[in-house]
Amino acid sequence: MGEKNISTVLKNIPFYFFILIFISCSSNSLESEIDDGNGNNGNEKEIVYPVSELNNYSSINKKTSWYKTNKSFDQLFDVAASRYRGFEKDNNGDINLFVRGTFDQNKVNCCYYWNDLGQYIFTDLDGDGTKDLWAYYLKAPWPTNANGLHLFVGNVETNENYNLQTGLTQVRKNVLSDFDNDGKNEITLISSGYDGNPFPGDSIAIFNVSTKQYKYLSDDIGYFHGGATGDINNDGFEDIVAYSGGSVVIPVHPVFYQNDGSGNFELKNDIFLNFTDADNYYTVELFDIDNDGYLDLFLGSTGILLVIKNENGTFDRLNGINIQSDSNLEVMDIDFFDFDNDNFKEVLVMNNVSSYQGHSLNLYKFSFQSNIQITSSYFDETKFEGNNSWIKWVHIFDYDKDGDLDIVGDGLFGDIVDNKIYWKNESGKFKRTITN
């Protein structure tokens, strides 16, 4: 080596040294050792979940109601503690906001509507830069076949663009969808109704935020506890899938409304193969879990979390795989997130325990070839008991505003109703945290 080349190398040693240090530090930040809680350090990866991780979903999954709805949450909104807690019908039949401190026991059977916990959307729906509120209200005293109320407020701070309409009997699930691909979300309403004489059932509805109008899909009346939207047949338009829990006069059955993109929905239940009246699922989600470009169908009930692969727009019950088999657990909500950073999403399930006497959070690593429960690898506490203490929904967002994603409970009942419960992200592990 010539004298000139040696001189060049020597002058560049600090630069090479810096590069080596940078590579070493970068590697260590991705694979630093974590204490397992027993004083032992393993070689587990310390995975940080920045808020940007919510963008790391495929295009087909970004068109699902699960993704759109979860992405809309960056905070919880306590409807019951707000001015929109409830409504009261006056002597003229007009319905007005309930004024706190004016409750009249004599009006219990005729005049009050109260917010159903966890049944709301709080985000900017009309694109004006301020957060809007959509919320559902049950007619008191529940249970009843009387229609509830649908509220939309364009600005909760000023009470502007206030719209109230009589609506469905019991909206069990409300999700965001964009059926006409205009970049503005509609709200899809899945209503279970009340299974009481004369057993009227209920329908699915769509709220257009721009026109403040509701479209009711009444071709198939049922008791729709769960439903979801997404582009099932890959034609570019989001469709609707739901499951009717049935009643003494309406058998259980899955429902598929195909969207033609112009506001028309055609009932095409022939996409469901080999379902019978013995199948009764009340929790429904659509998500492409195996990254093949087709949305798979997730169905939950007591002791069952069934996953059915999308085979070119059809779902065959005979090919369903059950990934949860515990008769004490009833599936309430299903979520999807890449906990182990392998580019495949895991399945997070919120259950109620022993008929709503507690709640349980379970995490599954699933593919159509294998599945395993990995809850304890990421969560410190997951199963809890309490009188009617169950959680309706789980959202994934930065609840404590510290820069990483947390797992957040929404719609809390029973002994936990006045609390806020979330699983705080601590370097890729999630610790249950309760606040008032």
Side-chain angles (χ1 to χ4, degrees):
M1 180 179 292
E3 196 172 301
K4 183 176 180 180
N5 290 334
I6 293 174
S7 175
T8 300
V9 170
L10 289 174
K11 282 195 290 185
N12 284 329
I13 283 178
F15 173 76
Y16 296 139
F17 184 68
F18 171 78
I19 292 295
L20 288 172
I21 291 176
F22 176 79
I23 293 174
S24 175
C25 290
S26 299
S27 176
N28 287 339
S29 68
L30 291 175
E31 300 191 23
S32 57
E33 293 184 342
I34 297 177
D35 192 293
D36 65 3
N38 297 316
N40 301 314
N41 289 326
N43 292 319
E44 303 174 40
K45 292 182 179 179
E46 179 180 338
I47 302 175
V48 178
Y49 306 111
V51 176
S52 60
E53 286 291 303
L54 289 181
N55 296 320
N56 189 24
Y57 286 76
S58 66
S59 59
I60 193 71
N61 281 326
K62 285 184 176 180
K63 289 177 70 69
T64 64
S65 57
W66 176 83
Y67 180 83
K68 291 173 180 291
T69 307
N70 183 82
K71 193 74 162 55
S72 75
F73 277 87
D74 59 9
Q75 70 180 97
L76 299 180
F77 184 80
D78 190 347
V79 179
S82 73
R83 73 169 80 179
Y84 307 106
R85 175 191 179 195
F87 291 86
E88 177 182 359
K89 183 183 294 185
D90 64 21
N91 294 332
N92 296 322
D94 296 326
I95 301 174
N96 304 298
L97 275 170
F98 171 75
V99 179
R100 291 181 181 274
T102 63
F103 182 79
D104 187 343
Q105 189 67 41
N106 295 323
K107 292 184 177 181
V108 168
N109 294 322
C110 71
C111 304
Y112 290 120
Y113 299 81
W114 304 113
N115 171 247
D116 190 6
L117 298 177
Q119 293 308 130
Y120 71 98
I121 296 288
F122 185 56
T123 190
D124 183 6
L125 293 166
D126 55 15
D128 67 353
T130 64
K131 286 194 175 182
D132 315 315
L133 174 68
W134 186 95
Y136 172 72
Y137 297 80
L138 290 162
K139 170 66 176 64
W142 182 259
T144 174
N145 277 323
N147 292 340
L149 300 178
H150 300 164
L151 170 71
F152 173 79
V153 184
N155 187 328
V156 296
E157 298 297 327
T158 63
N159 209 34
E160 295 175 0
N161 299 321
Y162 177 94
N163 184 277
L164 183 69
Q165 298 184 41
T166 301
L168 296 166
T169 305
Q170 186 186 21
V171 175
R172 177 54 182 79
K173 188 176 183 183
N174 41 256
V175 296
L176 296 180
S177 315
D178 181 7
F179 293 117
D180 54 7
N181 289 339
D182 67 350
K184 298 179 181 179
N185 286 321
E186 295 83 50
I187 304 177
T188 303
L189 311 177
I190 310 295
S191 179
S192 62
Y194 170 57
D195 192 0
N197 191 29
F199 305 106
D202 221 339
S203 72
I204 297 169
I206 300 167
F207 177 58
N208 186 302
V209 177
S210 298
T211 64
K212 308 299 187 295
Q213 293 180 337
Y214 290 86
K215 177 184 180 69
Y216 293 90
L217 308 181
S218 57
D219 304 39
D220 200 329
I221 300 299
Y223 294 86
F224 300 114
H225 186 279
T229 67
D231 185 5
I232 291 177
N233 55 1
N234 282 25
D235 65 352
F237 300 112
E238 296 168 31
D239 312 298
I240 301 173
V241 63
Y243 211 98
S244 174
S247 72
V248 295
V249 294
I250 301 177
V252 296
H253 59 287
V255 171
F256 173 61
Y257 279 103
Q258 182 172 308
N259 174 22
D260 68 2
S262 63
N264 298 314
F265 293 83
E266 184 178 357
L267 191 64
K268 287 191 173 182
N269 291 344
D270 56 355
I271 73 165
F272 302 104
L273 308 177
N274 296 306
F275 282 81
T276 71
D277 288 353
D279 298 304
N280 186 4
Y281 306 105
Y282 40 77
T283 299
V284 181
E285 288 296 350
L286 290 166
F287 195 86
D288 177 15
I289 197 65
D290 56 354
N291 293 343
D292 68 350
Y294 288 89
L295 294 179
D296 307 304
L297 180 61
F298 288 74
L299 299 169
S301 63
T302 302
I304 296 176
L305 176 59
L306 194 70
V307 189
I308 306 177
K309 185 176 178 60
N310 185 331
E311 299 176 303
N312 296 317
T314 63
F315 300 102
D316 190 342
R317 170 65 181 83
L318 295 181
N319 295 330
I321 299 173
N322 186 27
I323 66 173
Q324 180 170 277
S325 299
D326 187 337
S327 59
N328 289 318
L329 302 180
E330 300 177 69
V331 178
M332 302 307 300
D333 193 23
I334 308 169
D335 294 86
F336 309 93
F337 186 72
D338 186 3
F339 284 84
D340 59 7
N341 204 25
D342 68 349
N343 295 319
F344 286 90
K345 304 298 187 282
E346 279 70 61
V347 183
L348 183 65
V349 187
M350 173 57 73
N351 304 280
N352 80 63
V353 177
S354 302
S355 297
Y356 298 89
Q357 299 309 302
H359 54 279
S360 172
L361 196 63
N362 286 350
L363 180 64
Y364 298 94
K365 186 167 186 60
F366 174 81
S367 72
F368 286 99
Q369 288 72 45
S370 64
N371 62 273
I372 183 173
Q373 185 178 157
I374 57 173
T375 315
S376 61
S377 297
Y378 294 90
F379 292 88
D380 66 333
E381 298 176 272
T382 59
K383 191 171 182 178
F384 310 90
E385 297 179 350
N387 183 28
N388 199 32
S389 295
W390 60 284
I391 297 175
K392 188 178 285 185
W393 308 118
V394 169
H395 306 305
I396 303 172
F397 66 91
D398 184 8
Y399 179 79
D400 53 12
K401 306 302 180 186
D402 65 351
D404 56 27
L405 295 171
D406 307 300
I407 309 299
V408 187
D410 194 12
L412 277 56
F413 291 79
D415 292 344
I416 58 175
V417 69
D418 294 322
N419 297 302
K420 301 291 188 297
I421 295 178
Y422 73 107
W423 282 262
K424 178 178 174 58
N425 186 344
E426 296 182 348
S427 300
K429 306 288 183 174
F430 294 87
K431 182 177 181 179
R432 189 175 190 258
T433 305
I434 302 177
T435 61
N436 295 117

